[in-house]
Amino acid sequence: QAIAVEGMKKLPNYTCQDLSNTAMAFAKPNINAREFLKALAAEAARKIWSFEAREVSNITWSLNIMGPGLIDEQWLEPALKHFRTLVRVDFDQGKRHDGDFEGWEMVQLLNAAWAYRSGLSEWPVLAQTFRERIYGPVVRALAGIVGRGPMFQASALIP
């Protein structure tokens, strides 16, 4: 709790990485300093457009697992919108660029936002991107490993 009290004084000076790392540091051991986490979420909302993809996903996951009331659709909507600009949903599969996300950021972010998906305008685009760029390739690779690749080649379930 002493860290939360001291952190409250310094929140306006936290960088995006500081905000994300602090949220994760409280979430992993489940340290429930509710007022501090609410203030941290508010500060993150003010700075969300400066976050990197990993920071967006980490802070969203961390605040979500700390219980209801820290984030909601109003908090998530700009976070998802910004994340979508970072992951470039128009990604050309043949060309990787610096800053391309690795996939786990999207998995973590979508898991954290799942309960709110019906009220999020960014959800359909991100969910489709997930199916095409993460889920489909992983399932096809696993099917190939276990010798069932041909079964999944023409499946409508696998993008």
Side-chain angles (χ1 to χ4, degrees):
Q1 295 297 343
I3 294 171
V5 169
E6 192 60 30
M8 193 74 93
K9 298 174 195 170
K10 297 178 180 182
L11 268 179
N13 298 319
Y14 277 26
T15 66
C16 298
Q17 186 175 2
D18 293 337
L19 292 165
S20 178
N21 289 348
T22 302
M24 186 74 78
F26 277 76
K28 289 249 179 175
N30 197 24
I31 300 170
N32 195 358
R34 201 93 183 132
E35 291 309 309
F36 174 66
L37 292 171
K38 283 182 184 179
L40 188 135
E43 188 66 27
R46 283 189 284 283
K47 295 177 179 176
I48 200 69
W49 293 100
S50 299
F51 277 58
E52 294 179 8
R54 179 171 296 159
E55 294 164 346
V56 173
S57 110
N58 283 346
I59 197 162
T60 303
W61 177 84
S62 298
L63 293 172
N64 185 63
I65 67 162
M66 293 304 292
L70 294 176
I71 60 172
D72 57 15
E73 283 130 346
Q74 289 179 331
W75 191 96
L76 284 165
E77 194 67 47
L80 293 178
K81 190 171 288 207
H82 178 55
F83 184 83
R84 186 172 58 88
T85 68
L86 296 171
V87 300
R88 293 195 327 259
V89 296
D90 60 344
F91 177 76
D92 179 352
Q93 291 290 341
K95 300 177 185 168
R96 287 209 34 92
H97 302 87
D98 286 344
D100 286 345
F101 77 112
E102 298 297 325
W104 72 265
E105 292 99 342
M106 183 173 279
V107 171
Q108 180 172 265
L109 183 68
L110 292 179
N111 281 339
W114 177 263
Y116 304 94
R117 69 191 180 282
S118 65
L120 298 169
S121 67
E122 297 297 323
W123 183 268
V125 173
L126 288 171
Q128 181 63 32
T129 303
F130 167 78
R131 284 190 293 278
E132 292 171 357
R133 290 175 45 192
I134 301 167
Y135 177 77
V138 168
V139 169
R140 281 192 299 281
L142 291 172
I145 290 168
V146 298
R148 296 193 178 161
M151 183 169 74
F152 288 96
Q153 295 301 331
S155 174
L157 298 174
I158 310 301

